[in-house]
Amino acid sequence: DKVITFNYDGGATTLVLEFTGETYVSYITVTPVEGSGETPAPTPEEVIEEEYVPFVPTTTKKEPVEETPKQEEQPKQEETPKEEAPKEEEKESSYDESEKLSVKINGQKTTKSAYDIVCMMVQAEMGTTFEQEALKAQAVAAYTFVKYNNASGIAPAIAAKTSISNNVAKAVKAVIGEAVYYKGAYANTTYCAANAGVSNNCVDVWGGNLPYLVSVDSVGDEKTNHYGYETKLSLDYVADRIEDYHNIDPYEYSDDPSDWFGKVTYGAGKYVNTVKLCGSNIKGRLVREGLLQSKIRSAAFEVDYDEDSESFIFTTYGYGHGVGMSQLGANYYAKQGWDYVEILEHYYSNTTVK
């Protein structure tokens, strides 16, 4: 009969009250209010700072308090919760705790346990506010991406955060060791913040024709603030970049800046395959990453010249290269009731999660 008062700033928190001989655990989940109906950014600022949550192997005896939230996050399994428990236990017990992954963090090669690496990646890529099934999808994609590269002797550069939230730790623990496979081999599970309503074709971006990295629908992207985002770049900046990067003096081509960008060809959806720049073709990806130094969010873009402000206005759709899984798209599908396997097998065509 004690009253406990505490201040709370959002996120998911576990309140543990210990009594003699037993522990009472209460799970409290609070969903932040979305100010404008926009999906949270893929790398939000930390809402809560918590101690790192180490991986704890599952024993044959599971505490019932751990079963309840899992059933709530997977409503399709609520009618047969007793059948779900052995499945989860089998997955977790098959994970090799001694497994190590190698990555580069801030340019430095780091080798840690797979659980540690994946937790840090998911925390950096999504954070605590995403849906559990989206977090699980990100965990499996991150693990597979590193395994794919490590198999070729590559330690890929990753984003990482070391303060791991309970939501992230819980998602990673549920799926650690699972991967995305194409014809029995690890898939190159690339991902980005948001696609352009569809994902991009790998062959149009990097040239490699991976049959599981092809364009698929990603309808949730159209509901984010990255869809139709405008970036204004000054006339002087664009002119200087054309001369420096494209080796053409744009004013020799035309005194009218509205003539500099011409005919556009498209790949998947709104993604620009090529665009005429002062008379010669340039890949849409190179416009974004090379010419404009990634100052625009996506290679799915439209460009207009505004004479009054002497600036170019780029309207972009999506955020990132657009190949593979959209993180915000995955979160949208999770809210529609999709589980992590459905999300992953949707974004990576003809693959298997196991």
Coordinates of all heavy atoms in Angstrom, one line a residue, residues 62-148:
K62 N 10.3 -19.6 -18.6 CA 10.1 -18.2 -18.9 C 9.2 -17.6 -17.9 O 8.2 -18.1 -17.5 CB 9.5 -18.1 -20.3 CG 10.5 -18.4 -21.5 CD 9.8 -18.1 -22.7 CE 10.7 -17.5 -23.7 NZ 10.0 -17.1 -24.9
E63 N 9.6 -16.4 -17.5 CA 8.7 -15.7 -16.6 C 7.5 -15.2 -17.4 O 7.6 -14.6 -18.5 CB 9.4 -14.4 -16.1 CG 10.6 -14.8 -15.2 CD 11.3 -13.6 -14.5 OE1 10.6 -12.5 -14.6 OE2 12.4 -13.7 -14.0
P64 N 6.3 -15.4 -16.8 CA 5.1 -15.0 -17.5 C 5.0 -13.5 -17.9 O 4.4 -13.1 -18.8 CB 4.0 -15.4 -16.6 CG 4.6 -15.5 -15.2 CD 6.0 -15.9 -15.5
V65 N 5.7 -12.7 -17.1 CA 5.6 -11.2 -17.4 C 6.3 -10.9 -18.7 O 6.0 -9.9 -19.3 CB 6.3 -10.4 -16.3 CG1 5.5 -10.5 -15.0 CG2 7.7 -10.8 -16.1
E66 N 7.2 -11.8 -19.2 CA 7.8 -11.5 -20.5 C 6.9 -11.9 -21.7 O 7.0 -11.5 -22.8 CB 9.2 -12.2 -20.6 CG 10.2 -11.7 -19.6 CD 11.5 -12.4 -19.7 OE1 11.5 -13.5 -20.5 OE2 12.5 -12.0 -19.1
E67 N 6.0 -12.9 -21.4 CA 5.1 -13.3 -22.5 C 4.1 -12.3 -22.8 O 3.7 -12.2 -24.0 CB 4.4 -14.6 -22.0 CG 5.3 -15.8 -21.9 CD 5.9 -16.2 -23.2 OE1 5.2 -16.1 -24.2 OE2 7.1 -16.5 -23.3
T68 N 3.5 -11.6 -21.8 CA 2.4 -10.7 -22.1 C 2.7 -9.6 -23.1 O 2.0 -9.5 -24.1 CB 2.0 -10.0 -20.8 OG1 1.6 -11.1 -19.9 CG2 0.8 -9.1 -21.0
P69 N 3.9 -8.9 -23.0 CA 4.1 -7.8 -24.1 C 4.3 -8.4 -25.4 O 3.9 -7.8 -26.4 CB 5.3 -7.1 -23.5 CG 6.0 -8.0 -22.6 CD 4.8 -8.8 -22.0
K70 N 4.9 -9.6 -25.5 CA 5.1 -10.2 -26.8 C 3.8 -10.6 -27.5 O 3.6 -10.4 -28.7 CB 6.0 -11.5 -26.7 CG 7.4 -11.2 -26.4 CD 8.3 -12.4 -26.3 CE 9.7 -12.1 -25.9 NZ 10.5 -13.3 -25.8
Q71 N 2.8 -11.0 -26.7 CA 1.5 -11.3 -27.3 C 0.8 -10.1 -27.7 O 0.2 -10.1 -28.7 CB 0.7 -12.1 -26.2 CG 1.2 -13.4 -25.8 CD 0.5 -14.0 -24.6 OE1 -0.4 -13.5 -24.2 NE2 1.1 -15.1 -24.1
E72 N 1.0 -9.0 -27.0 CA 0.3 -7.8 -27.3 C 0.9 -7.2 -28.6 O 0.2 -6.6 -29.4 CB 0.5 -6.7 -26.2 CG -0.3 -7.1 -25.0 CD 0.0 -6.2 -23.8 OE1 0.9 -5.3 -23.9 OE2 -0.7 -6.3 -22.8
E73 N 2.2 -7.4 -28.8 CA 2.9 -6.8 -30.0 C 2.6 -7.7 -31.3 O 2.8 -7.2 -32.4 CB 4.4 -6.7 -29.8 CG 4.8 -5.7 -28.8 CD 6.1 -6.0 -28.2 OE1 6.8 -6.9 -28.7 OE2 6.5 -5.2 -27.3
Q74 N 2.1 -8.9 -31.1 CA 1.8 -9.8 -32.2 C 0.4 -10.2 -32.1 O 0.1 -11.3 -31.7 CB 2.8 -11.0 -32.2 CG 4.2 -10.6 -32.4 CD 5.1 -11.8 -32.4 OE1 4.8 -12.8 -31.8 NE2 6.3 -11.7 -32.9
P75 N -0.6 -9.3 -32.4 CA -2.0 -9.6 -32.1 C -2.5 -10.8 -32.9 O -3.4 -11.5 -32.4 CB -2.7 -8.4 -32.6 CG -1.7 -7.7 -33.5 CD -0.4 -8.0 -32.9
K76 N -1.8 -11.2 -34.0 CA -2.2 -12.4 -34.7 C -2.0 -13.7 -33.9 O -2.6 -14.7 -34.1 CB -1.5 -12.5 -36.0 CG -1.8 -11.4 -37.0 CD -1.0 -11.6 -38.3 CE -1.2 -10.4 -39.2 NZ -0.5 -10.6 -40.5
Q77 N -1.2 -13.6 -32.8 CA -0.9 -14.8 -32.1 C -1.6 -14.8 -30.7 O -1.4 -15.7 -29.9 CB 0.7 -14.8 -31.8 CG 1.5 -14.8 -33.0 CD 1.3 -16.1 -33.9 OE1 1.0 -17.1 -33.3 NE2 1.4 -16.0 -35.2
E78 N -2.4 -13.8 -30.4 CA -3.0 -13.7 -29.1 C -4.0 -14.8 -28.8 O -4.1 -15.3 -27.7 CB -3.8 -12.4 -29.0 CG -2.9 -11.2 -28.8 CD -3.7 -9.9 -28.7 OE1 -4.9 -9.9 -28.8 OE2 -3.1 -8.9 -28.3
E79 N -4.6 -15.4 -29.9 CA -5.6 -16.5 -29.6 C -4.9 -17.8 -29.3 O -5.5 -18.7 -28.7 CB -6.4 -16.7 -30.9 CG -7.3 -15.5 -31.2 CD -8.1 -15.7 -32.4 OE1 -8.0 -16.8 -33.0 OE2 -8.9 -14.8 -32.8
T80 N -3.6 -17.9 -29.6 CA -2.8 -19.2 -29.3 C -1.5 -18.8 -28.6 O -0.5 -19.2 -29.2 CB -2.6 -20.0 -30.5 OG1 -1.9 -19.2 -31.5 CG2 -3.9 -20.5 -31.1
P81 N -1.5 -18.1 -27.5 CA -0.2 -17.7 -26.9 C 0.6 -18.9 -26.5 O 1.8 -18.8 -26.4 CB -0.7 -16.9 -25.7 CG -2.1 -17.4 -25.4 CD -2.7 -17.7 -26.7
K82 N 0.0 -20.0 -26.1 CA 0.8 -21.1 -25.6 C 1.7 -21.7 -26.7 O 2.7 -22.3 -26.5 CB -0.1 -22.2 -25.0 CG -0.8 -21.8 -23.8 CD -1.7 -22.9 -23.2 CE -2.3 -22.4 -21.9 NZ -3.2 -23.5 -21.3
E83 N 1.2 -21.6 -28.0 CA 2.0 -22.1 -29.1 C 3.1 -21.2 -29.5 O 4.1 -21.6 -30.1 CB 1.1 -22.3 -30.3 CG 0.0 -23.4 -30.1 CD -0.9 -23.5 -31.3 OE1 -0.6 -22.9 -32.3 OE2 -1.9 -24.3 -31.2
E84 N 3.0 -19.9 -29.2 CA 4.0 -19.0 -29.5 C 5.3 -19.1 -28.7 O 6.4 -18.9 -29.1 CB 3.5 -17.5 -29.4 CG 4.4 -16.4 -29.8 CD 4.8 -16.5 -31.3 OE1 4.1 -17.2 -32.0 OE2 5.7 -15.8 -31.7
A85 N 5.1 -19.4 -27.4 CA 6.2 -19.4 -26.4 C 7.3 -20.4 -26.9 O 8.5 -20.0 -26.9 CB 5.7 -19.8 -25.0
P86 N 7.1 -21.6 -27.2 CA 8.2 -22.5 -27.6 C 8.9 -22.0 -28.9 O 10.1 -22.2 -29.0 CB 7.4 -23.8 -27.9 CG 6.1 -23.7 -27.2 CD 5.8 -22.3 -27.2
K87 N 8.1 -21.4 -29.8 CA 8.7 -20.9 -31.0 C 9.8 -19.8 -30.7 O 10.9 -19.8 -31.2 CB 7.6 -20.3 -31.9 CG 8.2 -19.8 -33.3 CD 7.0 -19.3 -34.1 CE 7.5 -18.8 -35.4 NZ 6.4 -18.2 -36.2
E88 N 9.4 -18.9 -29.8 CA 10.3 -17.8 -29.5 C 11.5 -18.4 -28.7 O 12.6 -18.0 -28.9 CB 9.6 -16.8 -28.6 CG 8.6 -15.9 -29.4 CD 9.2 -15.1 -30.4 OE1 10.4 -14.6 -30.2 OE2 8.6 -14.8 -31.4
E89 N 11.3 -19.3 -27.8 CA 12.3 -19.9 -27.0 C 13.3 -20.6 -27.9 O 14.5 -20.5 -27.8 CB 11.7 -20.8 -26.0 CG 12.8 -21.4 -25.1 CD 12.1 -22.2 -24.0 OE1 11.0 -22.0 -23.7 OE2 12.9 -23.1 -23.4
E90 N 12.8 -21.3 -28.9 CA 13.7 -22.1 -29.8 C 14.6 -21.1 -30.6 O 15.8 -21.4 -30.8 CB 12.8 -22.9 -30.8 CG 13.7 -23.7 -31.8 CD 12.8 -24.5 -32.7 OE1 11.6 -24.6 -32.5 OE2 13.4 -25.1 -33.7
K91 N 14.0 -20.0 -31.1 CA 14.8 -19.0 -31.8 C 15.9 -18.5 -31.0 O 17.1 -18.4 -31.4 CB 13.9 -17.9 -32.3 CG 13.0 -18.3 -33.5 CD 12.2 -17.1 -33.9 CE 11.2 -17.5 -35.0 NZ 10.4 -16.3 -35.4
E92 N 15.6 -18.1 -29.8 CA 16.6 -17.4 -28.9 C 17.7 -18.4 -28.5 O 18.8 -18.1 -28.4 CB 15.9 -16.8 -27.7 CG 15.0 -15.6 -28.1 CD 14.3 -15.0 -26.9 OE1 14.1 -15.7 -25.9 OE2 14.0 -13.8 -26.9
S93 N 17.3 -19.6 -28.2 CA 18.3 -20.6 -27.7 C 19.2 -21.0 -28.8 O 20.3 -21.6 -28.5 CB 17.5 -21.8 -27.1 OG 16.8 -22.5 -28.1
S94 N 18.8 -20.9 -30.1 CA 19.7 -21.3 -31.2 C 20.8 -20.2 -31.5 O 21.7 -20.5 -32.3 CB 18.9 -21.5 -32.4 OG 18.3 -20.3 -32.9
Y95 N 20.7 -19.1 -30.9 CA 21.7 -18.0 -31.1 C 23.0 -18.3 -30.5 O 23.0 -18.7 -29.3 CB 21.1 -16.7 -30.6 CG 22.1 -15.6 -30.6 CD1 22.8 -15.2 -31.7 CD2 22.5 -15.0 -29.4 CE1 23.7 -14.2 -31.7 CE2 23.5 -14.0 -29.3 CZ 24.1 -13.6 -30.5 OH 25.0 -12.6 -30.5
D96 N 24.1 -18.2 -31.2 CA 25.4 -18.4 -30.7 C 25.9 -17.2 -30.1 O 26.3 -16.2 -30.8 CB 26.3 -18.9 -31.8 CG 27.7 -19.2 -31.4 OD1 28.0 -19.1 -30.2 OD2 28.6 -19.5 -32.2
E97 N 26.0 -17.1 -28.7 CA 26.4 -15.9 -28.0 C 27.8 -15.5 -28.3 O 28.2 -14.4 -28.1 CB 26.2 -16.1 -26.5 CG 24.8 -16.3 -26.1 CD 24.7 -16.7 -24.6 OE1 25.1 -15.9 -23.8 OE2 24.3 -17.8 -24.3
S98 N 28.6 -16.5 -28.8 CA 30.0 -16.1 -29.0 C 30.2 -15.5 -30.4 O 31.4 -15.1 -30.7 CB 30.9 -17.4 -28.9 OG 30.5 -18.3 -30.0
E99 N 29.2 -15.4 -31.2 CA 29.3 -14.9 -32.5 C 29.7 -13.4 -32.5 O 29.2 -12.6 -31.7 CB 28.0 -15.0 -33.3 CG 28.1 -14.5 -34.7 CD 26.8 -14.5 -35.5 OE1 25.7 -14.7 -34.8 OE2 26.8 -14.4 -36.7
K100 N 30.7 -13.1 -33.3 CA 31.2 -11.7 -33.4 C 31.0 -11.1 -34.8 O 30.9 -11.8 -35.8 CB 32.7 -11.7 -33.2 CG 33.2 -12.3 -31.9 CD 32.8 -11.5 -30.7 CE 33.4 -12.1 -29.4 NZ 32.9 -11.3 -28.2
L101 N 30.8 -9.8 -34.8 CA 30.6 -9.1 -36.1 C 31.7 -8.0 -36.1 O 32.0 -7.4 -35.0 CB 29.2 -8.5 -36.2 CG 28.0 -9.4 -36.3 CD1 26.7 -8.7 -36.4 CD2 28.2 -10.4 -37.5
S102 N 32.2 -7.6 -37.3 CA 33.1 -6.5 -37.4 C 32.5 -5.4 -38.3 O 32.0 -5.7 -39.3 CB 34.4 -7.1 -38.1 OG 35.1 -8.0 -37.2
V103 N 32.7 -4.2 -37.8 CA 32.1 -3.0 -38.4 C 33.1 -1.9 -38.3 O 34.1 -2.0 -37.5 CB 30.7 -2.6 -37.9 CG1 29.7 -3.7 -38.1 CG2 30.9 -2.3 -36.4
K104 N 32.8 -0.8 -39.0 CA 33.6 0.4 -38.8 C 32.7 1.5 -38.2 O 31.6 1.8 -38.7 CB 34.2 0.9 -40.1 CG 35.4 0.1 -40.5 CD 36.0 0.7 -41.8 CE 37.2 -0.1 -42.3 NZ 37.8 0.4 -43.5
I105 N 33.1 2.1 -37.0 CA 32.3 3.1 -36.4 C 33.2 4.3 -36.3 O 34.3 4.3 -35.7 CB 31.9 2.7 -35.0 CG1 31.0 1.4 -35.0 CG2 31.1 3.8 -34.3 CD1 30.7 0.9 -33.7
N106 N 32.8 5.4 -37.0 CA 33.6 6.6 -37.1 C 35.0 6.3 -37.6 O 36.0 6.9 -37.2 CB 33.8 7.3 -35.7 CG 32.4 7.8 -35.2 OD1 31.6 8.2 -35.9 ND2 32.2 7.7 -33.8
G107 N 35.1 5.4 -38.6 CA 36.3 5.1 -39.3 C 37.2 4.1 -38.6 O 38.2 3.6 -39.1
Q108 N 36.8 3.7 -37.4 CA 37.6 2.7 -36.6 C 36.9 1.3 -36.7 O 35.8 1.2 -36.4 CB 37.7 3.1 -35.1 CG 38.4 4.5 -35.0 CD 39.9 4.4 -35.4 OE1 40.6 3.4 -35.1 NE2 40.3 5.4 -36.1
K109 N 37.7 0.3 -37.0 CA 37.2 -1.1 -37.0 C 36.9 -1.5 -35.6 O 37.8 -1.4 -34.7 CB 38.2 -2.0 -37.7 CG 37.6 -3.4 -37.8 CD 38.6 -4.3 -38.6 CE 38.0 -5.7 -38.7 NZ 38.9 -6.6 -39.5
T110 N 35.7 -2.1 -35.4 CA 35.3 -2.6 -34.1 C 34.7 -4.0 -34.3 O 34.0 -4.2 -35.2 CB 34.2 -1.7 -33.5 OG1 34.7 -0.3 -33.4 CG2 33.8 -2.2 -32.2
T111 N 35.1 -4.9 -33.4 CA 34.6 -6.2 -33.4 C 34.0 -6.5 -32.0 O 34.6 -6.4 -31.0 CB 35.7 -7.3 -33.6 OG1 36.3 -7.0 -34.9 CG2 35.1 -8.7 -33.6
K112 N 32.7 -6.8 -32.0 CA 31.9 -7.0 -30.8 C 31.0 -8.2 -31.0 O 30.8 -8.7 -32.2 CB 31.1 -5.8 -30.4 CG 32.0 -4.6 -29.9 CD 31.0 -3.5 -29.5 CE 31.8 -2.3 -28.9 NZ 32.4 -2.6 -27.6
S113 N 30.2 -8.6 -30.0 CA 29.2 -9.6 -30.2 C 28.2 -9.1 -31.1 O 27.9 -8.0 -31.3 CB 28.6 -10.0 -28.8 OG 27.7 -9.0 -28.4
A114 N 27.6 -10.1 -31.8 CA 26.5 -9.8 -32.8 C 25.4 -9.0 -32.1 O 24.9 -8.0 -32.7 CB 26.0 -11.0 -33.5
Y115 N 25.0 -9.4 -30.9 CA 23.9 -8.7 -30.2 C 24.3 -7.3 -29.9 O 23.5 -6.4 -30.1 CB 23.7 -9.5 -28.9 CG 22.6 -8.8 -28.0 CD1 21.3 -8.9 -28.3 CD2 23.1 -8.0 -26.9 CE1 20.4 -8.3 -27.5 CE2 22.1 -7.4 -26.1 CZ 20.8 -7.5 -26.4 OH 19.9 -6.9 -25.6
D116 N 25.5 -7.0 -29.5 CA 25.9 -5.7 -29.2 C 25.9 -4.8 -30.4 O 25.4 -3.7 -30.4 CB 27.3 -5.7 -28.6 CG 27.4 -6.2 -27.2 OD1 26.3 -6.4 -26.6 OD2 28.5 -6.5 -26.7
I117 N 26.5 -5.3 -31.5 CA 26.5 -4.5 -32.7 C 25.1 -4.2 -33.3 O 24.8 -3.1 -33.6 CB 27.3 -5.3 -33.8 CG1 28.8 -5.4 -33.4 CG2 27.2 -4.6 -35.2 CD1 29.6 -4.1 -33.4
V118 N 24.3 -5.2 -33.3 CA 22.9 -5.0 -33.8 C 22.1 -4.0 -33.0 O 21.4 -3.2 -33.5 CB 22.2 -6.3 -34.0 CG1 20.7 -6.1 -34.4 CG2 22.9 -7.2 -35.0
C119 N 22.3 -4.1 -31.7 CA 21.6 -3.2 -30.8 C 22.0 -1.7 -31.1 O 21.2 -0.8 -31.2 CB 21.9 -3.5 -29.3 SG 20.8 -4.8 -28.6
M120 N 23.3 -1.5 -31.2 CA 23.8 -0.2 -31.5 C 23.3 0.3 -32.9 O 23.0 1.5 -33.0 CB 25.3 -0.2 -31.4 CG 25.9 -0.4 -30.0 SD 27.7 -0.1 -29.9 CE 28.3 -1.4 -30.9
M121 N 23.3 -0.6 -33.8 CA 22.8 -0.2 -35.2 C 21.3 0.2 -35.2 O 20.9 1.2 -35.7 CB 23.1 -1.3 -36.2 CG 24.5 -1.5 -36.5 SD 24.8 -3.0 -37.6 CE 24.2 -2.3 -39.2
V122 N 20.5 -0.6 -34.5 CA 19.1 -0.4 -34.5 C 18.8 0.9 -33.7 O 17.9 1.7 -34.1 CB 18.3 -1.6 -33.9 CG1 16.8 -1.3 -33.8 CG2 18.5 -2.8 -34.8
Q123 N 19.5 1.1 -32.6 CA 19.3 2.4 -31.9 C 19.6 3.6 -32.7 O 18.8 4.6 -32.7 CB 20.1 2.4 -30.6 CG 19.8 3.5 -29.6 CD 18.5 3.3 -29.0 OE1 18.2 2.3 -28.4 NE2 17.7 4.4 -29.0
A124 N 20.6 3.5 -33.5 CA 21.0 4.7 -34.3 C 20.1 4.8 -35.5 O 19.8 5.9 -35.9 CB 22.5 4.5 -34.8
E125 N 19.7 3.7 -36.1 CA 18.9 3.8 -37.4 C 17.4 4.1 -37.1 O 16.8 4.8 -37.9 CB 19.0 2.4 -38.1 CG 20.4 2.1 -38.7 CD 20.7 3.0 -39.8 OE1 19.9 3.7 -40.3 OE2 21.9 3.0 -40.2
M126 N 16.8 3.6 -36.0 CA 15.4 3.9 -35.8 C 15.2 4.5 -34.4 O 14.4 5.5 -34.3 CB 14.7 2.5 -35.8 CG 14.4 2.0 -37.2 SD 13.2 0.6 -37.2 CE 13.0 0.4 -39.0
G127 N 15.7 4.1 -33.4 CA 15.5 4.6 -32.0 C 14.3 4.0 -31.4 O 13.7 3.0 -31.9
T128 N 13.9 4.5 -30.3 CA 12.9 3.8 -29.4 C 11.5 3.9 -29.8 O 10.6 3.2 -29.3 CB 13.1 4.3 -27.9 OG1 12.4 3.4 -27.0 CG2 12.6 5.7 -27.8
T129 N 11.1 4.9 -30.6 CA 9.7 5.2 -30.8 C 9.1 4.4 -32.0 O 7.9 4.4 -32.2 CB 9.5 6.7 -31.2 OG1 10.2 7.0 -32.4 CG2 10.0 7.6 -30.0
F130 N 9.8 3.6 -32.7 CA 9.3 2.8 -33.8 C 8.5 1.6 -33.2 O 8.8 1.2 -32.1 CB 10.4 2.4 -34.7 CG 10.8 3.4 -35.8 CD1 11.3 4.6 -35.4 CD2 10.7 3.1 -37.1 CE1 11.7 5.5 -36.3 CE2 11.1 4.0 -38.1 CZ 11.6 5.2 -37.7
E131 N 7.6 1.1 -34.1 CA 6.9 -0.1 -33.7 C 7.8 -1.3 -33.5 O 8.9 -1.4 -34.2 CB 5.9 -0.4 -34.8 CG 4.8 0.6 -35.1 CD 3.8 0.7 -34.0 OE1 3.4 -0.4 -33.5 OE2 3.5 1.8 -33.5
Q132 N 7.4 -2.2 -32.6 CA 8.3 -3.4 -32.4 C 8.6 -4.2 -33.6 O 9.7 -4.6 -33.8 CB 7.6 -4.3 -31.3 CG 8.0 -4.0 -29.9 CD 9.4 -4.3 -29.6 OE1 9.8 -5.5 -29.7 NE2 10.2 -3.3 -29.2
E133 N 7.6 -4.4 -34.5 CA 7.8 -5.2 -35.7 C 8.8 -4.5 -36.6 O 9.5 -5.2 -37.3 CB 6.5 -5.6 -36.3 CG 5.6 -6.5 -35.5 CD 6.3 -7.8 -35.1 OE1 6.9 -8.5 -35.9 OE2 6.3 -8.1 -33.9
A134 N 8.7 -3.2 -36.7 CA 9.7 -2.4 -37.5 C 11.1 -2.6 -36.9 O 12.1 -2.7 -37.7 CB 9.2 -1.0 -37.6
L135 N 11.2 -2.5 -35.6 CA 12.5 -2.6 -34.9 C 13.1 -4.0 -35.2 O 14.3 -4.1 -35.4 CB 12.4 -2.4 -33.4 CG 12.1 -0.9 -33.0 CD1 11.7 -0.9 -31.5 CD2 13.2 0.0 -33.3
K136 N 12.2 -5.0 -35.2 CA 12.7 -6.4 -35.4 C 13.2 -6.5 -36.9 O 14.2 -7.1 -37.2 CB 11.6 -7.4 -35.2 CG 11.2 -7.6 -33.7 CD 10.0 -8.5 -33.6 CE 9.5 -8.7 -32.2 NZ 8.4 -9.6 -32.1
A137 N 12.4 -5.9 -37.8 CA 12.8 -5.9 -39.2 C 14.1 -5.2 -39.4 O 15.0 -5.7 -40.1 CB 11.7 -5.3 -40.1
Q138 N 14.3 -4.1 -38.7 CA 15.6 -3.4 -38.8 C 16.7 -4.2 -38.2 O 17.9 -4.3 -38.8 CB 15.5 -2.1 -38.1 CG 16.8 -1.2 -38.1 CD 17.2 -0.8 -39.5 OE1 16.5 -0.1 -40.2 NE2 18.4 -1.3 -40.0
A139 N 16.5 -4.9 -37.1 CA 17.5 -5.7 -36.5 C 17.9 -6.9 -37.4 O 19.2 -7.1 -37.6 CB 16.9 -6.3 -35.2
V140 N 17.0 -7.5 -38.0 CA 17.3 -8.6 -39.0 C 18.1 -8.1 -40.2 O 19.1 -8.7 -40.6 CB 16.1 -9.4 -39.4 CG1 16.4 -10.5 -40.4 CG2 15.4 -10.1 -38.2
A141 N 17.6 -6.9 -40.7 CA 18.3 -6.3 -41.9 C 19.7 -5.9 -41.5 O 20.6 -6.1 -42.3 CB 17.5 -5.2 -42.4
A142 N 19.9 -5.3 -40.4 CA 21.2 -4.9 -40.0 C 22.2 -6.0 -39.8 O 23.3 -6.0 -40.2 CB 21.1 -4.0 -38.7
Y143 N 21.7 -7.1 -39.1 CA 22.5 -8.3 -38.9 C 22.9 -8.9 -40.2 O 24.1 -9.2 -40.4 CB 21.7 -9.3 -38.0 CG 22.3 -10.6 -37.9 CD1 23.3 -10.8 -36.9 CD2 21.9 -11.7 -38.6 CE1 23.9 -12.1 -36.7 CE2 22.5 -13.0 -38.4 CZ 23.5 -13.1 -37.5 OH 24.1 -14.4 -37.3
T144 N 21.9 -9.0 -41.1 CA 22.2 -9.6 -42.4 C 23.2 -8.8 -43.2 O 24.1 -9.3 -43.9 CB 20.9 -9.8 -43.2 OG1 19.9 -10.5 -42.4 CG2 21.1 -10.6 -44.5
F145 N 23.0 -7.5 -43.2 CA 23.9 -6.6 -44.0 C 25.3 -6.7 -43.5 O 26.3 -6.8 -44.3 CB 23.4 -5.1 -43.7 CG 24.3 -4.1 -44.4 CD1 24.3 -3.9 -45.7 CD2 25.2 -3.3 -43.6 CE1 25.1 -2.9 -46.3 CE2 26.0 -2.4 -44.2 CZ 26.0 -2.2 -45.6
V146 N 25.6 -6.8 -42.2 CA 26.9 -7.0 -41.7 C 27.5 -8.4 -42.1 O 28.6 -8.5 -42.5 CB 27.0 -6.7 -40.2 CG1 28.4 -7.0 -39.7 CG2 26.6 -5.3 -39.9
K147 N 26.6 -9.4 -41.9 CA 27.1 -10.8 -42.2 C 27.4 -10.9 -43.7 O 28.4 -11.5 -44.1 CB 26.0 -11.8 -41.9 CG 25.7 -12.0 -40.4 CD 26.8 -12.7 -39.7 CE 26.8 -14.2 -40.0 NZ 27.8 -15.0 -39.2
Y148 N 26.6 -10.3 -44.6 CA 26.9 -10.3 -46.0 C 28.3 -9.7 -46.3 O 29.1 -10.2 -47.1 CB 25.8 -9.5 -46.7 CG 26.0 -9.3 -48.2 CD1 25.6 -10.2 -49.1 CD2 26.7 -8.2 -48.7 CE1 25.7 -10.1 -50.5 CE2 26.9 -8.0 -50.1 CZ 26.4 -9.0 -51.0 OH 26.6 -8.8 -52.3

